[in-house]
Amino acid sequence: IIGYSLCFENKQLPDGSYMVLAGHDALNYDRIWLYRLSSEGDLLWQKCIEPDTNYFDATGYNLLLTNDSCVLVTGFDFYIREAGSGLGWYSPLWVKFDLEGNQLWDLTWYGDGFIQGDFGQTIQDAAGNYYSAGNNGYRDLPYYACFYKFSQDGIPLKMAKIGLDAASETGSIVFLADSTLCLGGASKNTGITGGYDKYFIYKCDT
């Protein structure tokens, strides 16, 4: 299908209105869209992620209401390794908007050598820091389950590898207590083809 639109998640806001996260794909140039609807379903506004020449294929899958009355989109993008090269890695992406749809910041996670990664659910602690489940690779072995930690202002703090097998990922993350994380995922020992053969839950600190 060339060109499609999908609704991924929605949240009800304290005033009864709704925030809807959607995506649009047009010839491999994916865009993240937010829509705000009234409690009766009328469209109040629609906003698109601001263009960034460093990456494309920006796709958001999860929507989080933040401690400071904003929304955080979790997804991934294709980050360009060198300007004009067209070469890059798929990387986790987070974009923060206020409730009027103004984009406050965006964070795409890459490291030395442009290490690729994938994403999962994001949560926030009482101090405002974010924790996002995921893995530190994408398709190419080895890649390990991990979580990403970053500040309320989108400053990267830590990428913590927790997986043991050569191919593992985690998609869910919750707090058991304010300083204890519980992450769920799946893994396999070898090979990139075929499905995972075991499931896991990791309990760790932040």
Side-chain angles (χ1 to χ4, degrees), residues 105 128-130 149-157:
W105 52 258
N129 296 313
Y130 297 101
K149 179 180 179 180
F150 50 101
S151 74
Q152 183 166 286
D153 299 319
I155 305 301
L157 300 175

Side-chain angles (χ1 to χ4, degrees), residues 123-200:
I123 57 175
Q124 189 177 26
D125 66 17
N129 296 313
Y130 297 101
Y131 302 83
S132 189
N135 55 277
N136 68 348
Y138 187 81
R139 296 180 181 165
D140 297 326
L141 290 172
Y143 59 87
Y144 298 98
C146 71
F147 69 82
Y148 298 90
K149 179 180 179 180
F150 50 101
S151 74
Q152 183 166 286
D153 299 319
I155 305 301
L157 300 175
K158 184 180 184 64
M159 189 271 289
K161 187 180 78 173
I162 59 174
L164 301 177
D165 291 332
S168 60
E169 63 182 57
T170 180
S172 65
I173 181 170
V174 297
F175 282 112
L176 296 180
D178 191 48
S179 59
T180 305
L181 296 170
C182 184
L183 298 101
S187 67
K188 55 187 173 181
N189 288 319
T190 58
I192 196 63
T193 60
Y196 294 112
D197 55 16
K198 57 183 173 179
Y199 304 95
F200 61 76

Side-chain angles (χ1 to χ4, degrees), residues 5-47:
S5 296
L6 294 173
C7 177
F8 292 104
E9 190 169 8
N10 63 80
K11 299 286 187 182
Q12 187 169 29
L13 303 179
D15 67 353
S17 64
Y18 296 90
M19 193 74 73
V20 179
L21 170 63
H24 176 69
D25 174 45
L27 296 176
N28 294 321
Y29 195 73
D30 297 359
R31 309 296 289 151
I32 294 171
W33 281 84
L34 280 182
Y35 301 86
R36 188 166 177 179
L37 308 179
S38 71
S39 58
E40 291 79 27
D42 297 319
L43 178 64
L44 301 177
W45 52 253
Q46 58 185 22
K47 297 288 181 72

